[in-house]
């Protein structure tokens, strides 16, 4: 009779340990979920930067087109002026030099805008590559998280008892190695700034 009462009153050891392990795994899952959300936020920020770069690129293209139109208008004006210069030979040299200077200035502006456009395109490629890298790493993190969940779901009471075997501790070493391997895989996917 006393044995039955003692068994009913005493807390169950392995069940308590399983709850502790489950709590640890839940906490690890929460941490992995938090990290995934942070990576999603970073990806969204990079996409916003990419969108801004695309807007800047479009604005630069519009400026280049305006500069080209201005250059065409200046060239047309120069032809008309050249005809006028032919009629007025005495004023020709002086006026021609003025228009050459204006043309060079417009061409310089066009070159500057072309360089700015090339710079924005390079930045856009960099942002896209960075975003693609984050997406690939996020995919790997999800895979590792699913692997962790699958391992957690497959743990049995027998596994818990074998893991706490005090004589050789072989199963504990095996579990610790598996945890370290998974942690290394997750750290390998850390996004570079």
């Amino acid at each position: 009779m006393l044995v039955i009462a003692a068994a009913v009153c005493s807390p169950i050891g392995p069940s308590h340990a399983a709850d502790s392990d489950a709590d640890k795994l839940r906490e690890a899952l929460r941490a992995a979920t938090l990290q995934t959300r942070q990576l999603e936020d970073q990806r969204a920020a990079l996409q916003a930067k990419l969108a801004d770069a695309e807007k800047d690129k479009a604005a630069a293209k519009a400026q280049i087109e305006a500069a080209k139109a201005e250059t065409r208008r200046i060239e047309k004006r120069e032809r008309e002026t050249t005809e006028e210069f032919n009629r007025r030979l005495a004023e020709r040299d002086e006026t021609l030099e003025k228009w050459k200077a204006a043309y060079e200035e417009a061409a310089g502006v066009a070159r500057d805008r072309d360089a700015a456009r090339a710079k924005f395109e390079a930045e856009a490629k960099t942002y896209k590559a960075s975003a693609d890298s984050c997406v690939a790493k996020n995919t790997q993190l999800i895979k590792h998280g699913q692997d962790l969940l699958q391992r957690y779901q497959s743990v049995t009471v027998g596994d818990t008892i074998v893991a706490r075997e005090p004589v050789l501790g072989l199963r504990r070493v095996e579990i610790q190695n598996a945890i370290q391997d998974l942690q290394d895989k997750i750290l390998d996917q850390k996004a570079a700034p």
Side-chain angles (χ1 to χ4, degrees):
M1 188 76 160
L2 288 173
V3 173
I4 295 173
V8 170
C9 293
S10 69
I12 300 173
S15 175
H16 181 63
D19 288 343
S20 177
D21 286 345
D23 290 343
K24 288 178 185 177
L25 289 174
R26 283 188 192 106
E27 186 59 35
L29 178 59
R30 284 186 196 108
T33 302
L34 178 62
Q35 187 177 14
T36 301
R37 286 182 183 147
Q38 289 171 347
L39 288 173
E40 284 294 329
D41 292 343
Q42 288 175 358
R43 183 177 62 85
L46 288 174
Q47 285 178 335
K49 286 182 182 178
L50 180 61
D52 288 344
E54 290 293 334
K55 288 177 186 176
D56 292 345
K57 179 182 169 185
K61 281 186 177 181
Q63 291 174 345
I64 289 170
E65 289 302 318
K68 285 180 181 179
E70 180 69 23
T71 302
R72 287 192 294 272
R73 192 166 35 104
I74 290 172
E75 288 174 350
K76 180 181 177 187
R77 216 181 309 155
E78 186 178 286
R79 282 192 303 273
E80 292 170 357
T81 305
T82 303
E83 292 172 5
E84 179 71 20
F85 291 164
N86 288 334
R87 288 191 297 268
R88 299 180 187 184
L89 291 176
E91 299 173 356
R92 180 178 179 223
D93 291 338
E94 183 181 321
T95 308
L96 181 59
E97 288 302 317
K98 290 179 184 178
W99 285 110
K100 280 184 180 180
Y103 179 78
E104 288 301 320
E105 183 179 327
V109 168
R111 280 191 297 274
D112 291 345
R113 294 216 171 124
D114 221 9
R117 179 191 51 79
K119 176 186 167 195
F120 288 131
E121 285 178 351
E123 288 177 357
K125 286 180 183 177
T126 301
Y127 288 136
K128 184 178 183 335
S130 177
D132 290 344
S133 173
C134 284
V135 167
K137 288 183 179 198
N138 191 28
T139 302
Q140 286 298 317
L141 282 173
I142 289 170
K143 179 183 170 203
H144 297 314
Q146 289 172 341
D147 184 38
L148 178 64
L149 284 174
Q150 185 178 11
R151 287 182 184 193
Y152 172 70
Q153 289 174 344
S154 67
V155 171
T156 65
V157 173
D159 291 336
T160 305
I161 292 170
V162 170
R164 296 195 177 272
E165 179 267 317
V167 177
L168 295 176
L170 296 176
R171 181 71 172 147
R172 179 177 291 178
V173 170
E174 183 180 314
I175 290 171
Q176 289 172 347
N177 286 340
I179 289 170
Q180 186 62 44
D181 288 344
L182 190 55
Q183 185 178 15
D184 290 343
K185 287 178 183 179
I186 290 172
L187 290 176
D188 286 344
Q189 301 308 316
K190 183 176 181 182

